[in-house]
Amino acid sequence: MANCKFDKEIARMKRIEGQARGIARMMEEDRYCIDILQQMTAMEAALRAAKGKVLAIHSGHCIEEAVQSGDAAAQREKFGELVDLFGKMSR
């Protein structure tokens, strides 16, 4: 996996995975609910940041490639994917 465009985001996701395990452990230990909720909020923020970065990578790579190709069908497909994604994100 040398020089993968997602290397930093993979590392970020592994940290988020550790946060999720930590939250589960807090719940198992019957820790104070507000502490658990604060950790969940931090994990959600980290996940939003990762999602934004993956979207930026997609825009700078996949969408740019479709635009530069001049292929109208590929451009419509990529645009449609984004519209669908934004629709799901707004629910």
Side-chain angles (χ1 to χ4, degrees):
M1 188 174 69
N3 204 17
C4 172
K5 65 185 171 190
F6 294 112
D7 281 345
K8 289 181 182 177
E9 298 324 300
I10 291 168
R12 187 187 307 236
M13 292 305 299
K14 289 181 180 184
R15 286 191 301 276
I16 292 169
E17 178 183 25
Q19 284 180 292
R21 282 193 306 271
I23 292 167
R25 191 168 37 258
M26 290 174 76
M27 295 167 96
E28 290 168 349
E29 295 169 357
D30 200 25
R31 300 272 296 273
Y32 187 52
C33 296
I34 295 298
D35 293 340
I36 294 168
L37 291 167
Q38 287 174 336
Q39 290 303 310
M40 288 177 160
T41 299
M43 189 176 89
E44 288 171 339
L47 193 54
R48 272 192 309 276
K51 186 167 48 173
K53 184 60 178 172
V54 171
L55 180 57
I57 291 168
H58 178 66
S59 297
H61 182 263
C62 303
I63 293 174
E64 181 179 336
E65 194 174 272
V67 169
Q68 289 179 350
S69 75
D71 182 345
Q75 293 168 356
R76 278 191 299 276
E77 178 185 354
K78 296 300 176 195
F79 182 74
E81 289 173 352
L82 282 178
V83 169
D84 290 345
L85 176 66
F86 289 133
K88 289 175 185 175
M89 289 171 59
S90 67
R91 292 182 202 152

